[in-house]
Amino acid sequence: MDAITELTMRIDRLEARLTYQDDTIEQLNLTITAQWKQIDALVHQLARFDQRLIETEAATSTAPANEKPPHYWPGGRASAPHFHVSAEAAALDAHSIGPGDTRIARSLAPWRSPLGPATMAVYQGPRFQHSMNAQNPGVRHIARLLAEPMVCRYRPATSTPQPWKAKGFRMLDLWEKFQPADYSGHVVTQTPAQAFIDVLSGHRQSVPPIWMMRQAGRYLPEYREVRARAGGFLDLCFTPELAAEVTLQPIRRFGFNAAIIFSDILVVPYALGRAVRFETGEGPRLDPLDAPDKVETLARDADFTRLEPVFEALRLVRRELDPGVALIGFCGAPWTVATYMVAGQGTTDQAPARIMAYRHPDAFAVIIDTLVASSIQYLLRQLEAGADALQIFDTWAGILPPEQFARWSIEPTRRIIEGVRARVPGARFIGFPRGAAAMLPAYVEATGVNAVSIDWTAEPSFIRERVQSRIPIQGNLDPLVLITGGAALDRAVDQVLANYGDGAMIFNLGHGIQPETPIAHVEQMLKRLRGWDRLSLKAP
């Protein structure tokens, strides 16, 4: 009997060690992810510095006035176009340029400018990038994670193209410290993904990047076809190939700067073992947690194997998504998700959750705490699957009075962001406390979001002075004016740009696009936005 007991104890100790080792491996993986996020931030710093060099060259060019370089931007800014090269073509005309036998297609020659050879950036798959200047040893080399095949970008300047000879040029120390000056507020022209991410770092763009909440939705005929094939809404969410397809549809059609993974905020309660169903024309239905004894039945730990289809969909989208488009993951804020869990459905004012928060604050706090812990893990897994940024949707935040808003909206969101950044320090967040109005400055200050989304009721001068002066904003076109179209839509787009376009912003709607929105109106909005001239603060 003693031998059996001792053997059992040894087995228990071994299992504990294995569990500890598994946790350690997971922590190491997340640490590596965090380090690559930091590298990514350095790459964008380098891109901004490179853009300043581009503009300096253009401003000091001694070329004849009628000698315009290829891809020249109005206003004297030289462009940075991208050229996709087939792997076969690159392999036929490439040779080693440094450690690791990194290779480059030498047929893509840079152009000579009065200040010297143009910078050439090489994005070589799988998952490597460095930038170089053939004759300038002051250019730093840096690497980042990428998933696309070889792509070459060169900066055209003026005069005659020169053959580029890589022999004899050594790579600088890959990790040589490089900290360019802070160009906050400096207008830059970059690739779309850089533009979107750069806004989250506080840098405005010459034309704001754009995506739409609910951009994968019923207004698109291709979405309706896939939805019919999938069956139920959750069937669509939990079929990775179909979820990835509808995520990519609006990117293919409209060329948005960001894709948001197709899913729903109520998948977290589903992972917590709650019954979640969507009834046609009636919205979500759950088993209500409207009393303390019912809260006791709530699982404290989510089963994330139930959400593996969401993570697989993210991986599929990341592989298929053009490198110029950012990928957004998301979750619902604990307060908003809890309102559905308590009431068992959506209501006009989510009164059941508000009453429970007043009547049984301790029981309600259990729901919130459980959602905070589960949301942290859910978002970490989305980052690991390929998300570039995360949005926290707090759709029902605006119904709370200030004290309750601080307790049930601000504090849980702060804890989520803090928890994610404890594992991934560079994680980027957009908060959307819909209807928060005068409480937005407190939300921004306390939560640590990188940007905040605003609805169409926001007062522009207040937002500019108290919010956009501190972080970028996202929004805030009224979805109903997008349905209306015509001159009213043009005026509304112009007004959003006039209100916020002089600062860092992401153009979006004030809430999700409506199913009855005509596709032609989305195209009209995009044409108006993309034709906007920030320098004159006018739209065409």
Side-chain angles (χ1 to χ4, degrees):
M1 189 65 180
D2 290 340
I4 293 175
T5 301
E6 182 180 352
L7 183 60
T8 301
M9 292 175 65
R10 291 181 63 188
I11 291 172
D12 289 342
R13 287 196 297 271
L14 286 171
E15 288 179 344
R17 290 178 61 187
L18 287 172
T19 301
Y20 174 79
Q21 290 173 348
D22 287 342
D23 290 342
T24 301
I25 291 171
E26 182 180 2
Q27 290 174 1
L28 286 172
N29 286 334
L30 289 168
T31 299
I32 292 169
T33 301
Q35 290 172 342
W36 279 116
K37 292 285 184 181
Q38 292 171 340
I39 291 169
D40 184 65
L42 288 174
V43 168
H44 291 300
Q45 283 186 318
L46 181 60
R48 290 193 296 273
F49 182 69
D50 183 65
Q51 182 63 28
R52 175 61 68 87
L53 292 178
I54 292 172
E55 294 183 354
T56 300
E57 288 188 24
T60 59
S61 174
T62 58
N66 61 353
E67 187 177 1
K68 297 292 186 183
H71 307 285
Y72 196 81
W73 287 74
R77 294 190 298 274
S79 68
H82 281 62
F83 295 86
H84 293 256
V85 184
S86 70
E88 294 80 4
L92 290 173
D93 191 18
H95 57 271
S96 176
I97 61 171
D101 199 33
T102 303
R103 308 181 78 81
I104 184 172
R106 74 171 175 261
S107 59
L108 289 177
W111 294 73
R112 180 178 298 280
S113 78
L115 296 184
T119 297
M120 178 174 285
V122 183
Y123 304 79
Q124 179 171 4
R127 311 177 82 78
F128 184 80
Q129 170 185 347
H130 71 272
S131 64
M132 68 163 43
N133 183 304
Q135 296 179 10
N136 183 356
V139 175
R140 307 303 193 245
H141 296 60
I142 195 163
R144 66 175 289 198
L145 280 172
L146 287 174
E148 60 269 13
M150 178 180 285
V151 180
C152 292
R153 174 175 70 82
Y154 72 88
R155 185 174 78 230
T158 58
S159 191
T160 307
Q162 299 291 321
W164 185 69
K165 300 178 181 180
K167 293 180 180 179
F169 296 113
R170 64 181 183 84
M171 292 187 70
L172 301 180
D173 181 359
L174 189 65
W175 304 119
E176 185 173 2
K177 189 173 182 180
F178 178 69
Q179 295 182 334
D182 181 10
Y183 296 135
S184 180
H186 177 59
V187 179
V188 296
T189 304
Q190 298 178 325
T191 62
Q194 288 175 326
F196 181 88
I197 297 302
D198 214 36
V199 168
L200 297 184
S201 299
H203 302 278
R204 71 180 191 179
Q205 305 299 300
S206 55
V207 174
I210 180 173
W211 67 282
M212 297 190 306
M213 286 180 269
R214 294 183 188 159
Q215 64 188 23
R218 288 176 287 169
Y219 74 105
L220 291 176
E222 56 265 43
Y223 170 87
R224 295 195 295 270
E225 189 277 326
V226 175
R227 171 70 186 273
R229 186 152 36 105
F233 176 76
L234 286 179
D235 295 319
L236 179 53
C237 291
F238 292 146
T239 305
E241 295 77 12
L242 298 184
E245 169 60 22
V246 296
T247 298
L248 292 165
Q249 286 173 349
I251 306 303
R252 299 190 194 111
R253 181 183 278 271
F254 301 118
F256 290 130
N257 298 96
I260 185 166
I261 192 65
F262 185 83
S263 186
D264 192 83
I265 64 172
L266 296 181
V267 298
V268 170
Y270 175 79
L272 287 166
R274 310 307 298 177
V276 179
R277 56 198 181 278
F278 285 80
E279 299 179 4
T280 304
E282 305 224 355
R285 292 289 186 271
L286 301 89
D287 296 332
L289 291 175
D290 52 5
D293 60 327
K294 293 182 180 180
V295 174
E296 292 177 2
T297 67
L298 177 64
R300 298 298 185 266
D301 297 314
D303 179 5
F304 287 105
T305 61
R306 305 187 82 183
L307 302 187
E308 179 54 34
V310 178
F311 310 135
E312 177 59 19
L314 276 159
R315 289 188 285 268
L316 290 174
V317 172
R318 181 75 279 167
R319 286 199 291 269
E320 295 293 327
L321 199 62
D322 187 279
V325 181
L327 178 56
I328 304 171
F330 72 92
C331 74
W335 162 253
T336 287
V337 176
T339 64
Y340 290 97
M341 294 177 72
V342 170
Q345 61 184 344
T347 67
T348 57
D349 58 1
Q350 299 299 67
R354 294 162 62 193
I355 291 171
M356 186 175 180
Y358 284 125
R359 185 175 290 163
H360 305 293
D362 292 341
F364 191 75
V366 170
I367 301 175
I368 294 293
D369 291 345
T370 301
L371 289 171
V372 167
S374 299
S375 298
I376 290 170
Q377 296 304 315
Y378 181 47
L379 294 177
L380 284 169
R381 284 167 169 80
Q382 290 186 61
L383 289 172
E384 186 177 2
D388 297 305
L390 303 166
Q391 177 150 321
I392 300 179
F393 289 88
D394 208 349
T395 307
W396 290 101
I399 64 175
L400 291 168
E403 182 180 352
Q404 299 291 297
F405 179 82
R407 180 174 184 181
W408 302 124
S409 179
I410 289 180
E411 182 58 18
T413 301
R414 182 197 67 76
R415 290 164 57 195
I416 289 174
I417 294 173
E418 185 179 84
V420 171
R421 286 181 178 156
R423 307 291 287 273
V424 183
R428 306 176 185 92
F429 282 89
I430 304 169
F432 184 29
R434 183 186 174 196
M439 296 179 285
L440 271 173
Y443 177 94
V444 167
E445 175 68 26
T447 61
V449 292
N450 299 93
V452 66
S453 203
I454 56 175
D455 62 62
W456 61 93
T457 66
E459 204 287 315
S461 62
F462 176 84
I463 296 298
R464 285 194 301 269
E465 295 167 11
R466 301 287 305 279
V467 179
Q468 197 182 18
S469 61
R470 302 166 68 182
I471 66 169
I473 60 98
Q474 175 177 272
N476 67 333
L477 191 73
D478 186 345
L480 297 187
V481 80
L482 190 57
I483 294 176
T484 305
L489 175 57
D490 283 345
R491 285 193 301 271
V493 171
D494 293 353
Q495 194 62 55
V496 171
L497 293 169
N499 287 336
Y500 308 113
D502 206 31
M505 73 168 295
I506 297 165
F507 197 98
N508 207 312
L509 306 184
H511 200 227
I513 186 172
Q514 298 295 305
E516 61 269 33
T517 303
I519 288 174
H521 294 180
V522 178
E523 294 169 341
Q524 177 188 345
M525 174 190 68
L526 289 169
K527 182 179 180 181
R528 192 76 176 176
L529 170 68
R530 289 167 177 166
W532 182 60
D533 182 358
R534 180 188 298 279
L535 298 179
S536 63
L537 296 180
K538 293 179 181 178

